[in-house]
Amino acid sequence: MAVNKRLNHLLKTGSRDQLRSFLKTMHPADIAAAVTRLRPEDILFVLETVSNTRSVEVFANLEKDTQKACIVFTDPERVLHYFEGLSTDDRVDLFRILPSDDKEQLMGMLAKSDREDLLRLSRFEEDTAGAAMTTEFFSLSPDSTVAEALDRIRAGSQEAETIYVLYIADPGGRLRGVVSLKDLVLASPDTPLNRIMNPNVITVPVDEDVEEVARKIARYDLLALPVVNANKELRGIITVDDVLDIVEDEATEDIYAMAAVGAPLEYLNAGVLQIWRQRIPWLLLLVLSGFVAGFVIEFFKGQLDKFVELIFFMPLLMGSGGNAGTQASTVVIRAIATGEITPALFPRVLWKEVRVGLLVGLCMGLLSAGRAFFLPASSTPHLQIALTVGGTMFFVVTIAKCTGAMLPLLFKKFNLDPALMSNPMIQSIMDIVTLTSYFMLARFFLPF
């Protein structure tokens, strides 16, 4: 907070020297965090105050929406330096969200090679390896020597995303192997790369989903993962820092989906109407589902009039069904995200949740039946009330466990976000199932 106050004060004074001195010891990521809520004109003032190298790093650490706001605010020529300083994958991400006019202006100012690279990468679908990869990497010939490889690194290290992993490709671009910087340092200078390279390279196709890319990098403990086309030609790489961004973005999307609040946004920079538009559709849908639950109660109103004790257990049963379903859906959604569970395992997951549901439902049903049996003295037969409440609890919890596990898998099967089948939606579905089951069992056990 003190940093923000000091920064705002210096911006009001307009003193570049004092501002430069203040920012001198700050990390570019910290500067980006401090300016992110400023007006675009103030952000640009800060960028133009720090050194050229650090300004590019600060711009790269800004959120994409903030970068976009800076480009849209001013003449693209003023921010071309920062745009060119981004890695190719970050350029593509920013380019996708720019207005058409700004895209055209930037394209006209870029060098031909950068323009062609940007257009080629932007054609890949979002959330695929092709869209997330960078083309800034070292590709060497199998016949090159260790000395030649090291000379190449020294000459072009500033342009590459990483120098710790180098890829070996034939003249046609087909990936043949990989060699680490450690291997180069330990080998004799005149050793050909094809003698020290590892030919068993883990790769991903350009159309691979980024979540699977993240899982592969984590599973094999890689610094970078090469991206190839159908002909096994090397097209780019995805580095571990890119994966961290991917994992964060996917986790954020899942959290938002699980809370039924729409797409992720920058909360402090979002307007009230924007937040309202984002949240209201799901809330209205949940209200409509609540209407259905209300219709069920209305339909069985006669039972409630005759046996008012039934009302006592409605919150317990509805809450238990929602909680049981949410437990199952949370575990399954997480397992889907980590790749542990796929739609192909639907029967196995269903059978496991049926058994879990029966055991959990039996325990909760017995406890609930015991509580219902010892109601204060009333005209209603305690045994029948206990059977109704306990039977409903047993049935509902079993169904909730199966529903909570199956719906995310079904959504995944049809290429929908499994996280949508989480707490609010499961709770609404189980409310309807619970009330219907409760009153049907009451009609069976109790004399009407």
Side-chain angles (χ1 to χ4, degrees):
M1 186 60 69
V3 171
N4 290 337
K5 286 184 177 179
R6 177 64 175 163
L7 181 60
N8 287 328
H9 172 72
L10 292 174
L11 287 172
K12 288 178 181 178
T13 64
S15 172
R16 288 189 182 273
D17 290 338
Q18 292 183 17
L19 180 61
R20 187 179 296 109
S21 177
F22 173 67
L23 299 174
K24 191 173 183 180
T25 59
M26 292 179 63
H27 191 278
D30 295 329
I31 298 175
V35 305
T36 188
R37 291 193 293 273
L38 298 177
R39 298 175 301 171
E41 54 265 42
D42 291 329
I43 295 176
L44 290 169
F45 184 83
V46 171
L47 291 174
E48 291 165 355
T49 299
V50 298
S51 65
N52 281 343
T53 301
R54 298 188 76 220
S55 67
V56 171
E57 293 181 47
V58 173
F59 188 80
N61 278 281
L62 293 173
E63 296 290 338
K64 290 293 177 287
D65 288 339
T66 306
Q67 294 174 344
K68 173 188 173 182
C70 291
I71 292 177
V72 171
F73 169 77
T74 188
D75 185 342
E77 188 172 357
R78 185 181 175 189
V79 293
L80 179 64
H81 171 63
Y82 310 125
F83 185 80
E84 290 179 325
L86 297 174
S87 61
T88 52
D89 53 322
D90 288 335
R91 283 189 211 172
V92 173
D93 291 340
L94 178 55
F95 185 76
R96 289 181 188 276
I97 64 174
L98 290 177
S100 299
D101 292 343
D102 293 294
K103 286 182 179 179
E104 292 179 6
Q105 291 185 59
L106 279 173
M107 292 296 288
M109 292 184 290
L110 290 173
K112 182 180 179 181
S113 58
D114 290 338
R115 184 166 61 249
E116 292 174 348
D117 206 26
L118 183 59
L119 285 174
R120 184 174 66 255
L121 294 177
S122 62
R123 292 192 186 102
F124 292 108
E125 292 186 21
E126 287 190 74
D127 297 328
T128 63
M133 71 183 182
T134 178
T135 56
E136 297 166 340
F137 60 91
F138 283 111
S139 177
L140 304 170
S141 168
D143 298 327
S144 299
T145 64
V146 168
E148 291 171 339
L150 291 172
D151 288 340
R152 175 81 182 277
I153 293 174
R154 295 187 188 98
S157 61
Q158 297 300 319
E159 300 174 2
E161 183 85 359
T162 178
I163 65 171
Y164 302 107
V165 181
L166 300 95
Y167 297 97
I168 314 302
D170 61 25
R174 288 174 62 86
L175 184 62
R176 295 301 185 189
V178 62
V179 62
S180 68
L181 182 60
K182 177 183 177 180
D183 295 331
L184 293 180
V185 172
L186 296 178
S188 300
D190 58 348
T191 304
L193 296 183
N194 57 17
R195 289 182 55 187
I196 61 172
M197 72 179 187
N198 178 7
N200 301 314
V201 189
I202 299 168
T203 63
V204 291
V206 291
D207 57 353
E208 183 72 271
D209 187 272
V210 290
E211 291 189 46
E212 180 58 29
V213 173
R215 281 194 285 266
K216 279 192 174 182
I217 286 185
R219 183 185 305 136
Y220 298 109
D221 196 22
L222 302 173
L223 290 176
L225 189 59
V227 182
V228 298
N229 61 14
N231 297 322
K232 301 301 180 183
E233 295 170 343
L234 185 59
R235 284 292 173 257
I237 65 170
I238 298 178
T239 56
V240 68
D241 61 316
D242 296 324
V243 168
L244 292 176
D245 293 335
I246 292 169
V247 170
E248 181 181 355
D249 290 343
E250 293 296 329
T252 301
E253 288 179 6
D254 288 345
I255 290 170
Y256 271 66
M258 292 175 73
V261 291
L265 50 71
E266 291 185 59
Y267 180 78
L268 292 177
N269 291 335
V272 172
L273 289 179
Q274 182 182 1
I275 296 175
W276 169 78
R277 285 194 300 269
Q278 182 193 52
R279 297 182 183 180
I280 196 63
W282 270 106
L283 291 177
L284 290 178
L285 179 61
L286 296 176
V287 167
L288 292 175
S289 69
F291 288 165
V292 177
F295 292 149
V296 174
I297 296 175
E298 183 179 357
F299 182 79
F300 291 101
K301 180 177 180 294
Q303 292 178 335
L304 293 176
D305 290 339
K306 188 171 182 180
F307 299 104
V308 70
E309 293 86 350
L310 294 174
I311 299 175
F312 303 162
F313 298 97
M314 285 171 55
L316 169 67
L317 295 171
M318 293 168 68
S320 298
N323 291 339
T326 299
Q327 271 191 341
S329 67
T330 300
V331 172
V332 170
I333 289 170
R334 176 58 182 164
I336 292 173
T338 59
E340 181 184 357
I341 292 178
T342 65
L345 296 175
F346 188 101
R348 183 175 174 184
V349 175
L350 177 59
W351 175 230
K352 177 168 287 188
E353 289 299 328
V354 167
R355 290 176 290 168
V356 171
L358 289 172
L359 291 173
V360 174
L362 180 61
C363 295
M364 296 177 69
L366 290 173
L367 181 62
S368 303
R371 171 67 183 91
F373 186 79
F374 292 103
L375 278 174
S378 68
S379 59
T380 306
H382 287 194
L383 179 59
Q384 285 89 329
I385 286 288
L387 289 173
T388 300
V389 174
T392 302
M393 181 68 80
F394 174 75
F395 175 77
V396 165
V397 169
T398 303
I399 294 299
K401 288 294 184 184
C402 297
T403 302
M406 295 303 101
L407 286 180
L409 281 171
L410 286 175
F411 266 53
K412 182 66 175 179
K413 175 71 175 178
F414 294 105
N415 295 319
L416 299 172
D417 189 352
L420 293 173
M421 282 295 104
S422 56
N423 189 12
M425 186 56 67
I426 293 293
Q427 182 72 57
S428 298
I429 293 172
M430 291 314 304
D431 284 350
I432 299 170
V433 173
T434 300
L435 290 171
T436 304
S437 305
Y438 188 36
F439 292 123
M440 293 297 289
L441 281 177
R443 177 171 288 182
F444 178 79
F445 286 115
L446 296 171
F448 286 96

